[in-house]
Amino acid sequence: MAELIRIYEENPNPKEIAKVAQVLRKGGLVIYPTDTVYGLGCDITNSRALEKIARIKGIKLEKANWSFICADLSNLSDYARQIDTATFKILKRALPGPYTFILPGNNNLPKDFKKKKTVGIRVPDNNIARALVQGLGNPIVSTSIRDDDDVLEYTTDPELIYEKWDNLVDIVIDGGYGGNVASTIIDLSTGFPEVIREGKGDIDII
């Protein structure tokens, strides 16, 4: 049975953040707010937790295209190959913000992502999500809890999210009502920006 924890985005309580980070460290699954829709996440280095999310989403882990939630751009060199100045300027302009950027992956990707040629990077404009990453000490994987055939309220109301996911995750963070428009996905892996999905983020930044 999941625990519902209220955390205020304006000033996330460090003790609550540390508690959630500890659950992530032990392989737990957490639903948390972002600057778009609520996300389902775990520690990117924990294979058991990643497998659990893959089962919930009904896909094979090796086929999953999940993004990494980072606290800032300092994590880029950990997982992405060196990028050119023009690409970095786009990232600096857009982040933190409601974007997922696809970048060429490097050899340091966690073992479950080693075969991936690219990596999706998110730095949400949400204090709770970024504090979780800082508390854990490395990025968390993120996949939207939104299903296209879901009742709209399930993606926005933390209490309804809790009711639906109670038996599937360890913690649901109530960070207030969420949005129901996903992030804008932009592929920067080839050197030519390509919009893969238009979402909340304005595509004029490229």
Side-chain angles (χ1 to χ4, degrees):
M1 190 167 171
E3 183 177 358
L4 182 65
I5 298 178
R6 179 78 168 105
I7 298 179
Y8 293 93
E9 204 223 326
E10 303 75 32
N11 190 20
N13 183 313
K15 281 189 179 171
E16 299 287 19
I17 292 293
K19 179 179 178 179
V20 179
Q22 186 63 12
V23 168
L24 287 166
R25 213 168 277 121
K26 290 179 176 176
L29 306 190
V30 173
I31 290 176
Y32 57 94
T34 72
D35 51 357
T36 57
V37 298
Y38 267 79
L40 166 64
C42 70
D43 181 344
I44 59 168
T45 66
N46 193 301
S47 299
R48 194 164 47 88
L50 290 164
E51 287 282 5
K52 276 195 240 171
I53 291 184
R55 274 199 304 278
I56 288 170
K57 297 292 274 187
I59 55 174
K60 285 192 161 54
L61 179 54
E62 58 270 21
K63 297 213 165 138
N65 289 315
W66 299 327
S67 50
F68 290 4
I69 298 275
C70 301
D72 52 45
L73 290 177
S74 66
N75 287 124
L76 273 190
S77 57
D78 294 342
Y79 307 111
R81 286 209 305 274
Q82 191 165 3
I83 54 177
D84 59 33
T85 305
T87 300
F88 188 71
K89 281 183 177 172
I90 292 173
L91 297 173
K92 282 284 281 182
R93 267 201 306 276
L95 300 174
Y99 297 89
T100 301
F101 287 104
I102 299 172
L103 299 168
N106 66 19
N107 295 329
N108 297 327
L109 285 170
K111 62 180 185 294
D112 293 293
F113 300 94
K114 283 287 187 197
K115 292 181 180 174
K116 295 281 184 190
K117 299 230 174 358
T118 58
V119 59
I121 297 289
R122 280 267 281 131
V123 182
D125 188 12
N126 180 284
N127 292 329
I128 297 170
R130 295 202 310 274
L132 280 180
V133 173
Q134 289 168 331
L136 179 62
N138 58 256
I140 49 183
V141 85
S142 186
T143 177
S144 166
I145 64 165
R146 187 182 74 161
D147 293 314
D148 291 334
D149 59 351
D150 254 349
V151 178
L152 198 60
E153 288 175 311
Y154 278 130
T155 65
T156 60
D157 185 334
E159 293 198 5
L160 291 178
I161 291 169
Y162 174 74
E163 282 176 24
K164 183 180 179 188
W165 290 82
D166 182 20
N167 295 314
L168 294 170
V169 301
D170 298 277
I171 289 176
V172 175
I173 295 176
D174 177 354
Y177 272 80
N180 50 33
V181 179
S183 65
T184 292
I185 301 176
I186 300 174
D187 189 344
L188 296 177
S189 65
T190 62
F192 300 97
E194 180 188 357
V195 177
I196 305 298
R197 178 182 74 196
E198 198 168 341
K200 189 176 176 184
D202 192 333
I203 60 171
D204 287 347
I205 58 113
I206 59 171

